[in-house]
């Protein structure tokens, strides 16, 4: 139940906050690098379990919960396994990404660069990047992981 409330809260907040278009025109790579800067943790991980949170009906397509085996820590502290739920973040994984079940993990064994936050009610993932495509991006990911976001 707490996971359902968490997702509903973020979906409603997402709907209100995403009227802004501050990332309009940014490339997908640059949006992901912003996610890395905002994240509490970033790692390369392999998907070992996928699930839908109970009671979600059709609020979100595809899987909404992921268990990753952490293969490389980039930012923050994680245990060797991370169980996290999908959460939206305006502009980074906003429409159509949030509704695109092809963006999020959908098969066991896939490898992703994962960015997320630790919340009071659990761990959330708000951006992923396929590792195959991410390898050339990894240098920039490591730099972004060490940046601090400043308000302009």
């Amino acid at each position: 139940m707490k996971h359902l409330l968490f997702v509903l809260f973020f979906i409603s907040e997402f709907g209100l906050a995403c009227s802004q278009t501050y990332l309009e025109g940014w490339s997908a790579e640059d949006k992901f690098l912003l996610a890395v800067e905002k994240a509490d943790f970033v790692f390369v991980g392999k998907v070992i379990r996928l699930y839908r949170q109970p009671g979600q009906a059709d609020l979100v397509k595809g899987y909404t919960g992921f268990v990753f085996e952490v293969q490389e820590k980039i930012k923050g502290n994680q245990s060797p396994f991370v169980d996290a739920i999908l959460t939206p973040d305006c502009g980074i994984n906003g429409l159509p990404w949030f509704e695109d079940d092809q963006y999020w993990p959908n098969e066991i064994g896939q490898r992703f660069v994962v960015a997320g936050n630790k919340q009071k009610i659990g761990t959330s993932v708000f951006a992923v990047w396929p590792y195959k495509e991410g390898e050339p991006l990894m240098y920039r990911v490591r730099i972004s992981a060490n940046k601090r976001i400043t308000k302009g």
Side-chain angles (χ1 to χ4, degrees):
M1 181 66 178
K2 69 179 180 181
H3 291 303
L4 175 60
L5 292 174
F6 185 66
V7 170
L8 289 174
F9 169 77
F10 276 104
I11 288 173
S12 63
E13 290 293 311
F14 175 74
L16 296 173
C18 281
S19 60
Q20 302 172 5
T21 55
Y22 71 100
L23 295 179
E24 192 171 300
W26 284 40
S27 70
E29 285 183 2
D30 287 337
K31 287 180 184 180
F32 184 74
L33 292 172
L34 178 62
V36 167
E37 289 177 29
K38 293 173 67 173
D40 292 337
F41 61 82
V42 179
F43 61 85
V44 174
K46 181 172 85 171
V47 178
I48 61 169
R49 181 173 174 244
L50 298 163
Y51 61 94
R52 284 191 59 81
Q53 295 167 307
Q56 283 193 325
D58 292 323
L59 292 174
V60 179
K61 295 179 189 176
Y63 298 103
T64 56
F66 317 103
V67 179
F68 295 95
E69 178 182 6
V70 176
Q71 297 178 322
E72 179 187 348
K73 294 179 182 183
I74 297 170
K75 177 181 181 181
N77 292 316
Q78 306 87 34
S79 63
F81 299 92
V82 173
D83 185 347
I85 60 171
L86 174 153
T87 59
D89 192 285
C90 185
I92 292 171
N93 64 353
L95 302 176
W97 280 9
F98 186 62
E99 291 184 340
D100 183 2
D101 58 346
Q102 295 304 307
Y103 171 77
W104 299 100
N106 58 19
E107 290 181 23
I108 302 295
Q110 292 175 307
R111 291 181 71 202
F112 287 91
V113 182
V114 180
N117 287 323
K118 294 180 180 180
Q119 309 288 335
K120 288 181 184 177
I121 61 172
T123 303
S124 67
V125 169
F126 58 83
V128 295
W129 194 267
Y131 186 73
K132 268 188 176 178
E133 297 171 26
E135 274 185 283
L137 188 65
M138 289 307 292
Y139 176 74
R140 291 179 65 199
V141 164
R142 286 183 178 86
I143 290 172
S144 290
N146 292 313
K147 283 187 181 177
R148 297 282 182 244
I149 295 180
T150 58
K151 293 184 179 181

